[in-house]
Amino acid sequence: MSTPINSMTHKPLRWHKEWLERYDLSGPRYTSYPTAPQFSAGFPEQEVEQAIERSNDSGRPLSLYFHIPFCDTICYYCGCNKVVTANKSRARPYLQMLHREISLRGAQFDEQRPVHQLHWGGGTPTYISDDEKRELMGETRKYFQLLDDDSGEYSIEIHPGGLNTNTLGVLRQLGFNRLSMGIQDFNPKVQAAVNRFNSIEEVSALVQRAKTEGFHSLSMDLIYGLPHQSLTTVNETLEQVVDLNPERLSLFNYAHMPHLFKSQKQMDASALPEPQEKLAMLESAIERLQAAGYVYIGMDHFAKPDDALAIAQEQGALQRNFQGYATHGNCDMMAFGVSSISAIDNIFVQNHKDINDYQAALEQNRLPVSKGICLTKDDQLRQAVINQLICHFELNFTDFDTLINQLTPQSPIHSITAQPFEHYFADALESLAPMIDDGLLSLRDRKLTVSLDGRLLIRRICMAFDAYLTTTEKSVRPQYSRII
């Protein structure tokens, strides 16, 4: 579902510290709805096959994701599914299994469906050799229709530390046109504390080479809240990043959860900045980025106004999926590799997280499915509502009335004065009332609009429409990071 062009979308954010502190809870990031904790083990392979058949019948374009979990060294803050080893030969058996999965899946999909979006993530995808990169892309082309006119969004995550600039030339030849670069912080003391090293000189050289090679867009990731960070050090890093002038920038809140991610135990927790200082870091960063011409897309993401991400949002075409915000909506996503998650028609399905389980399944010519979920009509409705809010900051109830009437034909909606949306989501709207009173939202003419003050709290607003947060016992709810 899309929204008309919204001239209010790219207005500067306003900062309201009191509200941020009041509503800064823990909650999902909503790269999907339902979120991954709702997936069930033992998901039937037949359900996957039937979803792929429906997907083929739809003719929708495809989005492909490839998970390459290897890293040379460990970044202590990282919570990704990864294999840390300096022995590059460790990747070879995994890549052979990845090729096998591509062939098994490729045989199920209509080969005429164009691939509008492709992404390599990790880990560190550039860990594998250039020849291995060529082999993986070549294997993909055997089974899927990749676009050769550079019109798709084909992206890859890179760790700039120690990366040869010539690799960017190889990536461009393979069809990649967007880079996502994990910077995190340039301060030497912070880098030592988190075991993540990339100098400003290395990054600058890569930025220049990316421009020479004609990449469409460069995204840089920063993290605030790391050990030894201060308002001063974060501002220094931000100034260096602004000078590098990436088209997109992400500013992530570090969530310290060593009970979930063992590598975080290697950091000095006493060196973490206090919550008040983290808020000051975020406020200062937002002000600086807006002054530099970036617009707030949502959920920690910023972009230049002429970047495809900002244009898609302005035109009402922005979507959100397992890789975050996406410019190419209406795609079914097929994901390959350990722990990767696919979104096909009305199902989400995840591969085994353990690399041995993943390989064991493929060695038996079985698809490496670990768990999944089949979305109900209610799930799909709430997914559309959350996607609309998180991408466009407004919700027109009329757009959903027909869907709700189809979902509940026997409901008492038709015999009461309340409109379908207000009736179906009465509990959600009631829970949002305090935020409406505070000015984070407005409700007029059957339209819910997130104010400039409320956009940083969009996760909290979306939680009101999450049925699983209200039906799951608190004692068994998954642990999420804090919003701010």
Side-chain angles (χ1 to χ4, degrees):
M1 181 169 296
S2 63
T3 183
I5 292 177
N6 181 4
S7 60
M8 293 296 292
T9 299
H10 294 153
K11 294 290 185 180
L13 289 173
R14 288 201 298 251
W15 187 263
H16 201 296
K17 182 178 177 181
E18 179 186 350
W19 292 344
L20 292 176
E21 292 177 341
R22 184 182 306 171
Y23 295 109
D24 183 17
L25 306 176
S26 299
R29 296 187 61 81
Y30 292 114
T31 50
S32 73
Y33 181 87
T35 56
Q38 307 306 325
F39 297 3
S40 298
F43 193 75
E45 191 167 314
Q46 184 180 5
E47 289 276 8
V48 182
E49 294 171 352
Q50 292 173 351
I52 293 174
E53 289 178 4
R54 294 192 299 273
S55 176
N56 284 331
D57 290 341
S58 76
R60 286 186 293 269
L62 293 175
S63 173
L64 304 182
Y65 172 73
F66 300 85
H67 190 72
I68 302 172
F70 298 94
C71 297
D72 286 301
T73 57
I74 189 168
C75 303
Y76 296 154
Y77 56 80
C78 182
C80 297
N81 187 300
K82 57 193 174 295
V83 177
V84 181
T85 175
N87 182 2
K88 297 297 180 74
S89 66
R90 286 279 306 277
R92 192 64 195 170
Y94 176 81
L95 290 172
Q96 291 172 344
M97 292 298 106
L98 198 56
H99 294 173
R100 184 174 297 184
E101 186 185 7
I102 292 170
S103 67
L104 289 172
R105 288 293 193 200
Q108 296 177 306
F109 281 88
D110 180 354
E111 62 183 13
Q112 299 303 313
R113 298 173 67 182
V115 176
H116 284 185
Q117 195 172 40
L118 180 147
H119 184 76
W120 287 9
T124 306
T126 50
Y127 176 96
I128 62 177
S129 70
D130 290 346
D131 283 342
E132 289 170 334
K133 296 182 187 72
R134 295 186 182 96
E135 289 177 8
L136 179 55
M137 192 64 85
E139 196 68 18
T140 304
R141 285 184 177 277
K142 287 181 184 179
Y143 299 96
F144 295 95
Q145 187 185 108
L146 302 188
L147 304 179
D148 293 321
D149 60 359
D150 223 21
S151 63
E153 184 174 84
Y154 291 7
S155 60
I156 184 171
E157 300 171 10
I158 65 173
H159 178 357
L163 182 66
N164 192 313
T165 56
N166 291 333
T167 298
L168 299 191
V170 174
L171 296 176
R172 195 69 181 99
Q173 291 170 6
L174 291 176
F176 289 102
N177 52 30
R178 189 171 77 81
L179 298 174
S180 179
M181 189 181 296
I183 304 297
Q184 320 317 351
D185 196 291
F186 279 128
N187 183 274
K189 189 173 183 180
V190 175
Q191 289 187 352
V194 300
N195 202 43
R196 170 82 173 200
F197 302 95
N198 35 243
S199 68
I200 183 66
E201 292 77 16
E202 288 174 312
V203 174
S204 296
L206 290 169
V207 170
Q208 291 304 314
R209 183 61 181 265
K211 292 179 179 178
T212 301
E213 295 292 344
F215 281 88
H216 297 177
S217 180
L218 172 63
S219 176
M220 293 186 178
D221 295 342
L222 302 177
I223 299 178
Y224 69 98
L226 295 172
H228 301 296
Q229 280 184 330
S230 66
L231 182 59
T232 299
T233 65
V234 168
N235 284 340
E236 289 172 350
T237 289
L238 202 60
E239 286 298 326
Q240 292 172 307
V241 168
V242 167
D243 288 343
L244 292 169
N245 199 32
E247 285 77 13
R248 303 178 189 179
L249 195 146
S250 299
L251 186 64
F252 295 114
N253 168 32
Y254 170 64
H256 190 60
M257 296 188 287
H259 56 291
L260 296 179
F261 309 114
K262 292 181 179 179
S263 62
Q264 294 184 357
K265 294 179 180 179
Q266 300 184 63
M267 294 191 295
D268 180 6
S270 67
L272 294 170
E274 295 295 327
Q276 293 301 319
E277 188 165 21
K278 285 181 68 176
L279 276 179
M281 292 175 188
L282 180 60
E283 179 180 14
S284 178
I286 290 171
E287 290 177 353
R288 181 65 186 93
L289 289 174
Q290 291 182 157
Y294 289 90
V295 298
Y296 181 66
I297 301 299
M299 292 288 294
D300 319 310
H301 286 67
F302 298 79
K304 290 296 183 68
D306 57 352
D307 183 77
L309 204 65
I311 293 171
Q313 185 176 57
E314 191 75 10
Q315 295 178 343
L318 189 67
Q319 298 290 319
R320 190 163 173 81
N321 59 30
F322 290 106
Q323 275 69 64
Y325 287 105
T327 57
H328 290 74
N330 196 36
C331 292
D332 279 342
M333 177 183 291
M334 185 62 236
F336 304 88
V338 63
S339 77
S340 63
I341 305 176
S342 301
I344 310 165
D345 196 63
N346 69 328
I347 70 166
F348 298 148
V349 62
Q350 184 170 24
N351 282 350
H352 290 292
K353 292 184 177 181
D354 183 89
I355 196 168
N356 294 320
D357 293 337
Y358 169 78
Q359 294 189 358
L362 288 166
E363 285 170 354
Q364 299 171 28
N365 285 322
R366 293 187 295 107
L367 294 173
V369 172
S370 170
K371 54 185 178 179
I373 187 172
C374 184
L375 276 66
T376 65
K377 293 295 185 181
D378 177 74
D379 290 335
Q380 291 173 300
L381 172 62
R382 292 174 185 273
Q383 178 190 51
V385 168
I386 289 172
N387 187 78
Q388 182 67 21
L389 278 170
I390 214 163
C391 290
H392 305 292
F393 301 112
E394 68 177 21
L395 197 64
N396 191 328
F397 297 173
T398 304
D399 291 341
F400 294 89
D401 286 342
T402 300
L403 289 175
I404 293 171
N405 277 326
Q406 293 172 349
L407 183 61
T408 58
Q410 305 302 320
S411 73
I413 288 174
H414 305 288
S415 61
I416 60 176
T417 57
Q419 297 285 354
F421 189 97
E422 288 87 339
H423 181 268
Y424 195 92
F425 289 111
D427 291 344
L429 295 175
E430 182 180 357
S431 72
L432 289 174
M435 284 184 271
I436 293 174
D437 291 341
D438 280 342
L440 276 71
L441 299 151
S442 64
L443 178 55
R444 298 187 185 91
D445 301 323
R446 306 196 69 225
K447 179 183 286 188
L448 196 64
T449 304
V450 183
S451 70
L452 298 177
D453 304 281
R455 294 188 176 190
L456 285 172
L457 292 164
I458 190 63
R459 284 168 70 182
R460 174 65 184 86
I461 293 166
C462 288
M463 287 167 65
F465 295 93
D466 188 334
Y468 294 95
L469 292 179
T470 57
T471 58
T472 305
E473 292 287 339
K474 289 187 177 181
S475 60
V476 295
R477 285 182 189 173
Q479 296 189 24
Y480 297 107
S481 61
R482 295 187 74 83
I483 293 170
I484 301 296

